[in-house]
Amino acid sequence: MYEPEITVTGNVGADPKAKTTPSGTSVTDLRVAVTPRRRPKGSEEWVDLPTLWFQVSAWGKLGDNVAASVKKGDRVVVSGTLSVSTWKNEAGEDRSSLEINATRLGLELSRATATTTSVRTPAVVAHSDPGERPDTDPVTGEMHRLPDWAVGAEVEEPGADEVAA
């Protein structure tokens, strides 16, 4: 079953909250607000529509980087899979929230500047069964099987001049 993918640009409503699951996986949660604007036909003025709030979860290395880089008020671009969570509140009323499991998240730079620090991932290490040799996605931390053409390929470590570049 496929989940719908979405990209939203909005403002972070509160400082992100980083935590670690009992299994040791890190996750950072934040809320992102998007307020659409429309100009009614024949009008010169823009009108704000109701604000949409998205609960965003960023897992693994992405979550660690979000926790270190993003704060309340920052304008961000979030891409990921969209889901809707529904429940009843204490008064018995139906409630719902839009949730994004982030695969990518970054600062939106049309209104701000940023300085980045690259995070290098170590070279892939050969395993006893090369057909099952994993590769770790540097953004999500997820493990992926290497394509057949890459199995057994030699991995070169960058030289000192390449690391500084």
Side-chain angles (χ1 to χ4, degrees):
M1 180 173 176
Y2 294 100
E3 296 174 334
E5 294 184 11
I6 186 171
T7 298
V8 298
T9 302
N11 297 320
V12 177
D15 286 333
K17 292 184 176 30
K19 60 186 175 187
T20 303
T21 66
S23 66
T25 304
S26 61
V27 60
T28 298
D29 295 319
L30 63 151
R31 289 179 40 99
V32 175
V34 178
T35 305
R37 301 189 86 202
R38 300 285 185 268
R39 190 171 61 190
K41 255 187 182 175
S43 174
E44 295 294 322
E45 295 185 33
W46 288 88
V47 176
D48 287 343
L49 299 179
T51 299
L52 299 172
W53 284 93
F54 294 89
Q55 180 64 40
V56 178
S57 296
W59 294 84
K61 193 63 172 169
L62 174 62
D64 296 342
N65 292 343
V66 168
S69 305
V70 176
K71 64 185 181 317
K72 177 181 179 178
D74 285 344
R75 191 154 177 84
V76 294
V77 180
V78 181
S79 293
T81 54
L82 177 67
S83 62
V84 177
S85 180
T86 59
W87 69 94
K88 290 193 182 290
N89 67 9
E90 293 175 1
E93 302 167 325
D94 289 331
R95 305 306 260 167
S96 64
S97 68
L98 298 169
E99 300 178 356
I100 300 174
N101 184 12
T103 54
R104 290 173 179 73
L105 192 149
L107 296 171
E108 200 278 303
L109 298 177
S110 69
R111 299 181 185 172
T113 61
T115 302
T116 61
T117 303
S118 294
V119 179
R120 297 256 182 207
T121 54
V124 176
V125 177
H127 295 301
S128 58
D129 180 1
E132 294 300 320
R133 189 172 116 189
D135 184 22
T136 303
D137 184 312
V139 176
T140 65
E142 296 174 352
M143 299 295 280
H144 300 284
R145 186 177 181 281
L146 287 173
D148 291 336
W149 59 265
V151 174
E154 291 185 25
V155 177
E156 290 185 31
E157 292 290 330
D161 57 334
E162 293 173 8
V163 173

